[in-house]
Every structure is written in structure tokens, then in C-alpha cells.
Amino acid sequence: MVLLNADGRVARIEIIDDATEIKKYEVANGQSFPSFNVPPLYWATTDDARKTVEKLLKDFEKGAVDEAGFVASIQALIAQSAPLWDDEILYRITNCLGKTSERLMAQIGDVPHEMSSFLELVVRSKKISAKSFGDDLCSAALELAKSSPKQTKDIVQSLIISTEKKKEKANGLKPSLIVELLDRDQFNYPANHQKIQEWVNSRLMANEGAKSCPDSKVQLDAFGTAAEGYEEKFPSVQLPLRWTVIIRAMNDEAPCQRRYGLAESFSFHVGQEARQRMKNALEWLGGEERRGKTWQDISGACGYDRGLLFAYPSVLPSLPQEMAEFATLAADDLQQEAQFEAVAERVVKSLEGIAKEHPEVEVRVFALAKADRARTKLLAEVSSNAVTYIRAAERWQEGRLNLPPLRLYLGSPEPIEPATPFPIRLAGDLNNVWIRGGESVDTAKELTVGDGLRLLLDSGAAEHRSAAKYLSALVRNAIPLFLRAGHADHFGIGHKFWQDMEGSAKAAARSLPRMLGTIGLLLWKLGRRKEEYMHTPCFLVGQFLALSDLLHREYCRNVRKGDIPNQLIGNAMMPVALDNPQRAVTRLNDRLMVYQRWAFTSDGDIESNRFGKWVLKRLGLISGELGTTTLPIKAGDAEKAQILLGYLARQESETGSN
């Protein structure tokens, strides 16, 4: 922050950690006020100078800086360096402080007394000479280095010295400067106060709304507004997560961009008025106070280090601050672990109110990811009318309930039960590829954020395709995890489910409740209702194998005096069943004979004997049902999911420990 005195000279600078709340008026890329970027003042041109700078920075890291001689060292370095601000940079700084501020004031109009600090800032900024501005910055930075040595590293890296070997690259190091009044406490508000910014923004919006339609002789852009300024670079927008993105960018050095003889801004005319509206809209959507309402952090869940999802109604309610969590409905807050049902209730209630007043309202959803240092990637973009969005939220919850009783005891007092997944979570959960019997996990990039949004909003044949795609990934990638969980539950050693897992696998396994809920949801979207599939041969095969586990366990507890093998027979036969259910049942029947005879004749532990006879009874009932059907010799994805559910489901009227 650069503090100006009454003469328009730099009196002092301050280093501030977070400038995301400070807004700026930007007429073109690099031309803004009262905040703008500048390159470093000087460029270390010799190897000796660069080595000196690198040593200083390393000394800062170690806390071994000679504070007394530091400023003298910097002054000596400046003497060995070349000025980096050439005529082009000086011209741009003059534009920021002069022409841009004048243009802004022309649109604002008269300034009331309580906002007079902003007018005074414009007056002082217009007095500045770009050349003297650089000299003043250097002097102020050195003064700050004397009084606050801890902040000197920032000064070295940003304002005073560049360590880049090429001047062109040094121009890419551009710290942000924010001009402010030295005597700001003498005014109602500082010039960069939030109240001032809100007032400036309201004046700009009012001025924009008051404009009449452009004269027919005025050149129009692609959106029907004045094309003035279309040849400039698009402005940047400050998004959450300290993320700056340019609204539209094309690299004219890429030959493919010039196939039609045009590139960058010339390939698609967008005037300054339309650009500013885009910038204002995106910054409003990404306001911190609207986190969870219009945007949500999806970093990690989207397959990239940084990601944002935006969701909002096309018509705002009368009180925007009371909007429901449109963004959270698609992507929960990774820190808060919101419940889908609670969020859906609030969203549906809010959307019903908006739709009642505006029947044509749409819900628009899009997701962005930081693909690398320079590129921002559009991951998904969908929109639907309010009725579709409401019904999608309701159907999503209906689908999650499409499950038999499921409770897995895996080492904690409370069992793991199915949870309703959020659409954005689905891709991350199902892209986890479980290996080594569910002990470790790898990651694929098969599914995307867009797939999850389509699964939420699609209907008819499109919904069927989306669900089939997800179910295919689930049975292919997650079977080892489900089998590990089911075996630990049947074995009665749920705590060992977490043992031997790698750190990343333990974290990924926390998704198990969501993945259980996902199975029911996907089957429901494929038209497989639990009232029907719980009587199919495949589901019964899964139950048959689960009961085989229980019988095997009780036999070992009694006959083998608790010496239970590492794998129960039903779990060992599950891979065969998922490929060929008929073969699995045939093989298992032969192996079950010895355990059946024990259960018929057992006179051991009363509780164990009672439980063993209950298992035999259930096996008999299921065998009778299987005997009236033809077992498939090949299982598709939906059939594999039903076998898994049968294996994991709690048995009806189950008694005894399990």
C-alpha cells in the first residue's frame, strides 16, 4: 500500500498480507485504479549481483541477516543494477494514475462529502510523475527495510531487485500497488474502505443502467453493446483461493489460433462495457460472504489442486443475502461435511420461492480448475430450469434410499451406514482405484466434475447413460474395498479394516458411506428398484455368500477353538460370483457340507449353536428361492452391484453377534 502526501509524493509504503477485499476499476488489462501492478524497479544484470541477491534471500530464510548493514547492501546492489522501468512501463503507470482515474471520475459524477477521500486520492494521483514515483518507491522501501527487517525479503523480491536472467521474464514479477492517502484518518473513510468501494460500484452500475441503446452508427460487439475497447486484452478477475483468472485469453503464438487470420481479442469482439459487466458478475459470485451459496471450493475433489464450483439462479431473490446454498447442493464444503438432505431442503425451499415469482428462472452451474500456473480450465457448465433443479434434488434423495438394510461394523461403536453423496464428490470417490485387496489406492481420471452434474440433472436416456458410466467405474474400481469391508464385518474384526492401509488409502476409505449410497442411487437411475432387485438371483447369491461367511466363522470358533483362517469361504468365492454367479454357488455348495453337518449336530456354546441354526435356516430359504430360478453365468455391471449389496446387506431378522 503506497501512502501519498498532499503533494502526490510517496510518503510511506506498507506491506499487507491480503488485498482480496480491495477492488479496482480496470479499463483494460494492466490499466486500473486505485490498484495496479508494476514490475520490479531494478534488474540485477551481472552474475555477481544476482549471486548477492540469492545469498540475501537465503540468509533471510535462515534468519542470519545483518540488519545493520542490510540497507547499505541493497543500495550497493542498486548501483550495480539497471533500471527496469522503461518508457512503456512509465506510460502505463501514468495512464493508471491519470487517465484511468479521470475516466472513473467521469462515470461516478459528483462526490458527496462523506466519500471525499476518494476524490482527494484522484487529485493526488494526477499530480504524480511516473519517474519520481519510482524513485519515491525505492526510498520508501529502503526506509521500510530499516524499520521492519522482517518484511525486507518481500521488498527484495518484489520492488527492488529482480533475480531473473532475462529482462523479459523480470517483467513478469509484478507486485500489486494500492494507492491510499497518508492522512486517511482525517476523512470519514479511507479511500479504499469497503463503504467507498460499495458507493463507487453503485455509481458505476447506475451509470451503466442509465445508458441508452447505442446509436446505429456506433460499432457493436458480439453482445450488442458498444465495441469500444474490444482490441484490448481482457481484464483479470480475483477469484477465491487467491486465484487470478483472465476472463478470456488466446495465445496468438499458437499457429492453430490464426487459422482464420485473427487471434486474441480480434477473433471475438467484446467491448469494454460487456467486459466490465462480466468481471463484476464473476467477482460478485465469488464474494467470500457467498461461499456455499453461489460458490464452493472443490479443490482436490475435482482432480486438480485448485477448483471452484459456481451455482446461482438466473434471477436473484429480493434479498440476495438470503439465497440458499445452490453451490453446496452440488458440492459440499470439504471442511464442514454438510448433509445433502439438509442442504437440499433449504435449496428447494428457496428455489420454490424464487420460481413462484419468476417462473422462467434457471439454475446455472459451472466449475473451474487451475490446470497449471497459466491456464484456467472450464470443467463443466450446465443449466436447467428451476423445476428440473428442484425435482433433481428430490430424485437424488429418493435414489439414495434404494438400498436394503446396510450397517457395517468397522471398528467404531457406531456402524457405517449409507450416506447421500454430493454430485461433485462422485467423480473423486469413484476415480479411486482400489488394489492389493483394498489396502492401497491409486487414482484414475476416468470421471469428471461434469459427469456428476449431468448425473444430477439428466433425465430419460441421458440419465441412463450417465448412471451406466458411473456404475461401470464403481464395480471396476471399488470392488476390493467393498469386499474388504464386508469380510471385516462378517469376521467380527471390523477394527482390522483400517489396519495395513496406507495413509492415502485410509483417507480415501472415509468415502465408504457415500459409495454405499451411490450404489443405490445408480441402480435407481437405471430403473432397478430395491423392491424388485432384492428378489433377483444375483442379490440372493450375495446373501448366500454372506451367510456362508457367518457359518464358517461360527464353525471355526467352536470346532477349531477360535482358529479362524485369514479369509472366510464366502468372501473367497466373491470374485468368482462377480464373474459367474452360477459357478460360485456350485463350488460353494460342495464346501459347505462339513459346516452344515456341524450346525445340525452341534451341542457346544448355546448362543453359537442358536446362531448356527439360524444361519442354516436362512441358507435353506435362499437355496429354495435360487432353486426356482436360473442363475446367470455372466454378470453385468448392474448384476455385480446387486451381488455386492446382497453380500453387504444385513440379513432379515438377524440375531446374535455379527
Side-chain angles (χ1 to χ4, degrees):
M1 184 165 281
V2 180
L3 304 181
L4 305 179
N5 62 22
D7 297 325
R9 301 295 295 269
V10 178
R12 192 170 76 245
I13 62 173
E14 298 174 352
I15 304 293
I16 55 178
D17 295 327
D18 186 6
T20 55
E21 295 302 315
I22 296 179
K23 307 300 181 185
K24 61 183 179 181
Y25 173 75
E26 191 168 31
V27 298
N29 189 31
Q31 296 185 37
S32 57
F33 181 85
S35 173
F36 52 93
N37 298 334
V38 296
L41 286 162
Y42 296 97
W43 174 41
T45 55
T46 66
D47 289 339
D48 289 342
R50 281 192 288 272
K51 288 178 182 178
T52 302
V53 173
E54 290 170 5
K55 182 180 184 305
L56 279 173
L57 295 176
K58 288 179 181 178
D59 289 344
F60 273 112
E61 295 290 345
K62 298 176 183 178
V65 175
D66 177 14
E67 296 180 4
F70 174 76
V71 174
S73 299
I74 293 295
Q75 289 173 328
L77 277 171
I78 291 174
Q80 302 175 51
S81 303
L84 194 55
W85 287 15
D86 55 20
D87 291 343
E88 180 183 347
I89 294 172
L90 294 174
Y91 177 76
R92 183 170 61 78
I93 292 173
T94 301
N95 270 350
C96 290
L97 296 169
K99 292 183 179 180
T100 302
S101 62
E102 284 182 1
R103 182 170 176 175
L104 175 59
M105 292 306 300
Q107 295 193 54
I108 290 176
D110 295 335
V111 179
H113 175 71
E114 61 269 22
M115 306 296 174
S116 59
S117 60
F118 194 79
L119 177 59
E120 179 62 22
L121 182 66
V122 172
V123 171
R124 295 185 188 183
S125 298
K126 290 166 64 177
K127 296 179 181 179
I128 294 174
S129 159
K131 178 65 173 66
S132 62
F133 184 64
D135 295 338
D136 289 349
L137 278 178
C138 183
S139 299
L142 292 173
E143 287 299 318
L144 181 61
K146 293 178 183 177
S147 60
S148 183
K150 291 182 179 180
Q151 294 178 320
T152 309
K153 180 182 177 182
D154 295 327
I155 297 170
V156 174
Q157 289 180 312
S158 58
L159 292 180
I160 306 300
I161 297 290
S162 168
T163 61
E164 296 288 346
K165 294 182 179 181
K166 291 184 179 180
K167 181 179 177 180
E168 291 77 10
K169 291 186 177 180
N171 276 314
L173 301 171
K174 295 182 179 180
S176 293
L177 300 183
I178 305 161
V179 290
E180 180 57 87
L181 301 178
L182 176 65
D183 51 344
R184 52 194 165 182
D185 56 345
Q186 302 299 314
F187 296 83
N188 291 66
Y189 305 106
N192 288 281
H193 192 274
Q194 183 179 358
K195 292 285 186 182
I196 299 268
Q197 293 174 359
E198 290 175 354
W199 170 76
V200 170
N201 196 53
S202 67
R203 295 299 304 143
L204 291 173
M205 297 298 287
N207 180 280
E208 179 182 280
K211 289 180 180 178
S212 59
C213 294
D215 186 84
S216 59
K217 296 181 181 179
V218 176
Q219 184 182 4
L220 301 181
D221 66 7
F223 297 98
T225 59
E228 179 187 1
Y230 80 87
E231 70 280 0
E232 302 290 343
K233 291 183 179 180
F234 277 74
S236 60
V237 178
Q238 186 69 38
L239 297 179
L241 312 182
R242 296 178 179 268
W243 179 357
T244 302
V245 60
I246 297 176
I247 293 177
R248 181 176 184 269
M250 289 178 67
N251 182 3
D252 66 348
E253 296 179 2
C256 65
Q257 306 291 18
R258 292 190 170 275
R259 67 185 66 173
Y260 303 115
L262 299 170
E264 294 188 331
S265 58
F266 293 95
S267 66
F268 189 76
H269 291 193
V270 183
Q272 184 54 45
E273 180 184 345
R275 295 177 181 204
Q276 192 62 42
R277 292 176 66 182
M278 293 176 192
K279 177 182 171 72
N280 293 344
L282 192 53
E283 287 184 338
W284 185 89
L285 285 173
E288 181 59 37
E289 67 276 14
R290 280 175 284 279
R291 183 186 184 122
K293 295 180 181 292
T294 59
W295 69 273
Q296 192 62 274
D297 180 2
I298 58 171
S299 301
C302 66
Y304 295 88
D305 291 337
R306 278 189 286 178
L308 293 169
L309 178 133
F310 295 87
Y312 57 96
S314 58
V315 178
L316 296 181
S318 55
L319 295 175
Q321 67 272 22
E322 295 183 358
M323 284 201 310
E325 299 99 311
F326 293 100
T328 302
L329 184 67
D332 65 325
D333 188 325
L334 303 184
Q335 285 71 46
Q336 299 298 324
E337 291 287 348
Q339 295 295 316
F340 184 91
E341 290 79 3
V343 175
E345 181 180 359
R346 294 192 292 270
V347 171
V348 168
K349 182 178 179 181
S350 176
L351 199 52
E352 285 176 340
I354 300 173
K356 187 175 181 181
E357 186 176 354
H358 303 280
E360 75 286 358
V361 69
E362 285 188 341
V363 176
R364 297 165 180 167
V365 186
F366 67 94
L368 303 176
K370 192 69 171 174
D372 52 38
R373 181 179 178 183
R375 293 181 302 145
T376 293
K377 184 175 183 179
L378 177 66
L379 297 180
E381 187 276 324
V382 295
S383 62
S384 63
N385 61 49
V387 174
T388 300
Y389 202 68
I390 292 171
R391 183 59 184 140
E394 295 171 344
R395 295 175 76 248
W396 193 268
Q397 296 174 84
E398 291 174 21
R400 206 293 287 158
L401 298 175
N402 186 43
L403 288 168
L406 281 174
R407 296 187 306 279
L408 300 176
Y409 290 86
L410 299 178
S412 59
E414 295 298 321
I416 286 180
E417 297 185 274
T420 306
F422 285 77
I424 295 300
R425 285 273 201 170
L426 284 179
D429 290 344
L430 272 59
N431 278 338
N432 287 327
V433 181
W434 291 91
I435 55 179
R436 295 174 55 199
E439 288 185 6
S440 58
V441 67
D442 204 346
T443 303
K445 287 194 175 182
E446 180 179 355
L447 301 172
T448 67
V449 168
D451 292 325
L453 294 176
R454 282 186 286 274
L455 186 65
L456 171 69
L457 297 172
D458 280 347
S459 59
E463 178 182 54
H464 193 282
R465 287 193 297 271
S466 295
K469 181 178 181 179
Y470 262 99
L471 189 62
S472 176
L474 184 144
V475 299
R476 183 169 55 257
N477 298 339
I479 281 177
L481 178 68
F482 289 128
L483 296 188
R484 182 184 179 89
H487 188 259
D489 179 64
H490 296 167
F491 210 128
I493 51 169
H495 63 285
K496 288 192 176 181
F497 171 76
W498 304 103
Q499 292 181 5
D500 303 323
M501 273 190 174
E502 300 172 353
S504 59
K506 278 188 179 181
R510 302 293 176 187
S511 67
L512 185 58
R514 298 193 300 268
M515 295 176 70
L516 292 172
T518 300
I519 300 178
L521 171 67
L522 296 177
L523 288 175
W524 188 87
K525 285 182 171 287
L526 289 170
R528 310 289 182 99
R529 302 297 189 260
K530 67 178 181 180
E531 295 80 9
E532 300 169 358
Y533 74 67
M534 287 179 65
H535 298 285
T536 62
C538 288
F539 183 85
L540 294 174
V541 166
Q543 289 209 307
F544 190 83
L545 269 64
L547 288 165
S548 301
D549 274 351
L550 302 181
L551 186 62
H552 187 197
R553 182 194 69 191
E554 293 305 309
Y555 172 86
C556 294
R557 281 180 176 176
N558 285 268
V559 178
R560 301 180 61 175
K561 308 304 181 186
D563 182 15
I564 305 176
N566 291 332
Q567 190 172 27
L568 299 172
I569 58 172
N571 189 266
M573 201 58 64
M574 274 295 290
V576 179
L578 292 168
D579 180 60
N580 186 330
Q582 186 181 97
R583 183 184 302 162
V585 172
T586 302
R587 288 186 182 180
L588 198 56
N589 273 329
D590 296 335
R591 297 189 61 185
L592 278 175
M593 296 300 294
V594 63
Y595 310 124
Q596 288 176 317
R597 283 196 297 270
W598 163 79
F600 273 124
T601 60
S602 174
D603 58 357
D605 179 82
I606 296 176
E607 187 65 30
S608 183
N609 185 38
R610 184 184 302 125
F611 184 64
K613 284 182 166 45
W614 176 85
V615 172
L616 275 184
K617 180 181 178 181
R618 288 291 302 152
L619 277 171
L621 292 173
I622 291 174
S623 296
E625 288 190 69
L626 288 174
T628 63
T629 64
T630 301
L631 288 173
I633 60 173
K634 189 68 177 176
D637 292 333
E639 287 70 33
K640 290 177 181 178
Q642 293 168 39
I643 294 172
L644 283 171
L645 287 178
Y647 182 70
L648 297 173
R650 311 306 288 187
Q651 298 287 335
E652 184 180 354
S653 303
E654 187 171 327
T655 60
S657 60
N658 183 14

